[in-house]
Amino acid sequence: MEEAFIKTPLGIAKITGNENGIASIIVLNSDVPLTTIIPEVLEDAVYQLHEYFKEERKVFNLTLNPEGTSFQKKVWKALKDIPYGKTISYMDLSKTLGDPKAIRAVAAANGKNPLWIVVPCHRVIGSDGSLTGYAGGLHRKKWLLELESPSKQQSLF
């Protein structure tokens, strides 16, 4: 498994994968040395993430190969269908998957998403519109939603 550490506006991201696809993209809460030579199998992921942060990419085109249960993979696949700039509640996601009673299991699978940003778990919010749990931290979730917002918050200064 190849890996790369890249700088993003939200911290250092660790990307892992091989010829079968990208296995994980996680944001770290600590500093580690950045990768100077990106492994070839990770180049597209690095390039597309940089485009995303420059607001030049709204949809990722990567071969993904995350590890997880069949249920987790089903949830992660549904997350990919949430459009850029839109949000969905955990309840609505559960309904989309065919079982509104599975909301806790859906939320747990959402929290185990190993593909930060590419599988947009940050687009899932509470039914009341609140920013609920996010493995990368609520400050990052808020930042990502603001980046994707069709109406940017105006600064007074």
Side-chain angles (χ1 to χ4, degrees):
M1 190 71 63
E2 301 284 347
E3 64 181 25
F5 297 88
I6 65 167
K7 184 177 177 155
T8 77
L10 293 172
I12 296 174
K14 177 183 178 184
I15 306 168
T16 60
N18 58 27
E19 62 280 348
N20 296 321
I22 303 300
S24 70
I25 302 171
I26 58 171
V27 63
L28 305 176
N29 289 317
S30 60
D31 286 337
V32 296
L34 300 177
T35 302
T36 53
I37 299 173
I38 305 297
E40 187 176 342
V41 295
L42 304 179
E43 286 176 349
D44 278 346
V46 170
Y47 182 77
Q48 290 184 36
L49 281 169
H50 285 307
E51 285 182 323
Y52 170 85
F53 284 114
K54 291 191 293 185
E55 298 182 69
E56 296 171 357
R57 175 172 293 276
K58 295 180 178 182
V59 177
F60 290 89
N61 182 19
L62 298 168
T63 301
L64 304 178
N65 190 26
E67 287 189 26
T69 67
S70 59
F71 179 77
Q72 288 171 332
K73 289 179 181 182
K74 181 179 174 182
V75 172
W76 301 337
K77 184 177 186 301
L79 291 172
K80 288 179 60 183
D81 293 335
I82 306 169
Y84 182 97
K86 302 288 184 191
T87 58
I88 188 173
S89 72
Y90 289 98
M91 177 58 77
D92 288 339
L93 183 57
S94 296
K95 289 177 182 175
T96 298
L97 292 165
D99 188 358
K101 294 179 182 175
I103 188 168
R104 289 180 190 263
V106 167
N110 194 60
K112 300 270 187 200
N113 170 25
L115 292 159
W116 183 57
I117 298 174
V118 174
V119 174
C121 56
H122 62 278
R123 296 179 188 154
V124 183
I125 60 174
S127 295
D128 62 359
S130 63
L131 299 185
T132 57
Y134 185 63
L138 288 181
H139 67 289
R140 288 186 178 114
K141 183 173 189 163
K142 182 178 184 213
W143 192 96
L144 291 167
L145 291 175
E146 286 175 2
L147 175 75
E148 296 181 2
S149 174
S151 57
K152 302 286 184 205
Q153 180 71 32
Q154 299 295 314
S155 173
L156 296 175
F157 306 99

